[in-house]
Amino acid sequence: MKRILIAEDEPKLAALLIDYLERFGFSTHWVDDGAEVMTNFRTYEPDLILLDLMLPNRDGMDICRELRKCSEVPVIMVTARVEEIDRILGLELGADDYICKPFSPREVVARVKSVLRRMVPSDAVDSRATRQRLMIDEAAYEVTADGTEVALTPQEFHLLKAMAAQPHRVFSRNQLIDKMYDDGRIVSDRTVDTYIKNLRKKLAVPLHNDEVIASVYGVGYKYVPPE
Ligand code: CA
């Protein structure tokens, strides 16, 4: 049973979410204080977090930022501030999706299911990828596109592997830097753009120009499996 942590300070709204999510087979845990979200996250170990932007004592943006430093748990931000959406999904925060208030609980359930579907554990990449045109063999460090082996640098390999593990998820440049280097080094956004450009170039010929890495303007990049 998938576990959903609900960070929401309006009890009626929280009750509605709990009711709906549990009706659809999810297990839920509710926290109403922004300052307690991280503690609850660690003890409850949710599969997904519904995170209200405006919480008492600590706002959702701040919490999301901390979550992203230590976890890849999917985060759906709940907000009444439409103008914040770019930031929420953007470089700085890297939430997986957002829901605008007022919302229908049905919509929330649909979004939760959709975000969870997008999450594929990285050790599942191999078996899943073999059925697809782009194959990533983690053990052999090999990428094959439509039967042609593509020689990648270690950084390009890590970049592609990370994105392919979660198709359609938008990664910010900062998140991709973390995937490429495990020593926490600081490299510029331009570096990521260069790697992406090289990857695209290397994959273009074997994939007959089918684009697998899409740019998301102002946010970053996502992997789109070739059909
Ligand atoms: Ca609130």
Side-chain angles (χ1 to χ4, degrees):
M1 195 182 269
K2 295 284 185 191
R3 302 143 73 87
I4 316 292
L5 178 64
I6 300 169
E8 171 60 66
D9 59 315
E10 291 163 50
K12 275 187 186 164
L13 210 50
L16 192 69
L17 288 171
I18 292 165
D19 178 44
Y20 254 79
L21 286 165
E22 294 194 345
R23 207 185 299 173
F24 281 86
F26 294 99
S27 163
T28 63
H29 179 81
W30 174 38
V31 52
D32 63 354
D33 184 335
E36 286 168 16
V37 175
M38 287 308 295
T39 322
N40 281 269
F41 163 68
R42 290 194 186 97
T43 51
Y44 183 61
E45 297 180 344
D47 295 292
L48 183 144
I49 304 179
L50 277 173
L51 182 58
D52 185 22
L53 191 72
M54 305 285 275
L55 287 169
N57 299 321
R58 190 174 182 191
D59 78 65
M61 292 227 176
D62 200 36
I63 296 164
C64 190
R65 215 172 280 133
E66 186 180 343
L67 276 168
R68 276 293 163 264
K69 282 182 194 159
C70 63
S71 164
E72 290 181 20
V73 66
V75 176
I76 299 181
M77 293 287 266
V78 181
T79 177
R81 284 148 63 178
V82 182
E83 68 274 17
E84 297 282 14
I85 289 165
D86 284 349
R87 275 186 74 199
I88 288 170
L89 296 177
L91 294 171
E92 197 188 340
L93 290 183
D96 295 85
D97 205 349
Y98 65 90
I99 292 165
C100 284
K101 286 181 180 178
F103 53 75
S104 74
R106 213 172 274 278
E107 181 193 356
V108 176
V109 171
R111 292 294 185 91
V112 166
K113 283 184 176 172
S114 148
V115 168
L116 285 173
R117 254 198 313 271
R118 278 175 4 207
M119 292 294 295
V120 180
S122 53
D123 57 3
V125 172
D126 289 2
S127 55
R128 190 181 48 81
T130 50
R131 294 194 300 274
Q132 299 180 354
R133 290 175 55 197
L134 192 79
M135 282 160 51
I136 300 173
D137 186 336
E138 206 170 326
Y141 248 76
E142 274 175 11
V143 170
T144 313
D146 277 351
T148 306
E149 197 183 310
V150 186
L152 300 179
T153 65
Q155 274 72 33
E156 290 163 359
F157 183 86
H158 288 304
L159 200 57
L160 184 63
K161 192 189 86 180
M163 287 195 290
Q166 294 178 48
H168 303 291
R169 171 179 168 182
V170 181
F171 288 89
S172 70
R173 288 174 178 78
N174 279 336
Q175 287 168 338
L176 292 174
I177 289 167
D178 289 342
K179 305 287 184 191
M180 286 192 292
Y181 304 100
D182 48 19
D183 55 4
R185 77 176 73 182
I186 309 292
V187 296
S188 75
D189 288 358
R190 290 260 174 87
T191 312
V192 179
D193 294 340
T194 306
Y195 283 123
I196 295 281
K197 202 172 117 192
N198 292 344
L199 257 180
R200 281 174 167 159
K201 205 187 290 176
K202 287 179 177 181
L203 294 171
V205 174
L207 288 177
H208 310 284
N209 291 321
D210 283 352
E211 198 66 87
V212 289
I213 300 169
S215 306
V216 181
Y217 183 72
V219 185
Y221 297 100
K222 65 178 177 180
Y223 175 79
V224 183
E227 292 186 352

